[in-house]
Amino acid sequence: MSTLRRGQELQRLARACLEARGYQVELVRRAVQWIKKADGQLKPVSISRDLFGIWDAVVVGPRWRGFAQVTDETNFHARRAKILAAAFPVGPQDL
């Protein structure tokens, strides 16, 4: 399974888990960006940009609302470090 497909599957699982607990979830959407190739032709490429460069989703529920970063256990520490380095206002409940 490609990295992209694996990430999409993790996002689907996280969304389903949160929605089952009563949260509304909006995931970052993919968009087409046109890249110029060496021969001058344009090529469409599907990309995804995290919200504020670090978040994969906005989560809203009865007791909590905020942002979510979806990752697996092998990338957890790197993603957490990225969030902290971004100086985005987060509290203990966010991490």
Side-chain angles (χ1 to χ4, degrees), residues 1-10 12 30 72:
M1 181 181 297
S2 72
T3 303
L4 173 62
R5 289 195 83 132
R6 186 170 180 218
Q8 289 173 334
E9 181 61 23
L10 284 173
R12 277 192 291 275
R30 298 197 64 77
D72 62 8

Side-chain angles (χ1 to χ4, degrees), residues 13 20 25 34 41 49 69 71 83 87-88:
L13 289 170
V25 180
W34 292 87
Q41 300 246 340
R49 288 207 176 96
Q69 169 62 52
T71 190
I83 292 166
F88 191 86

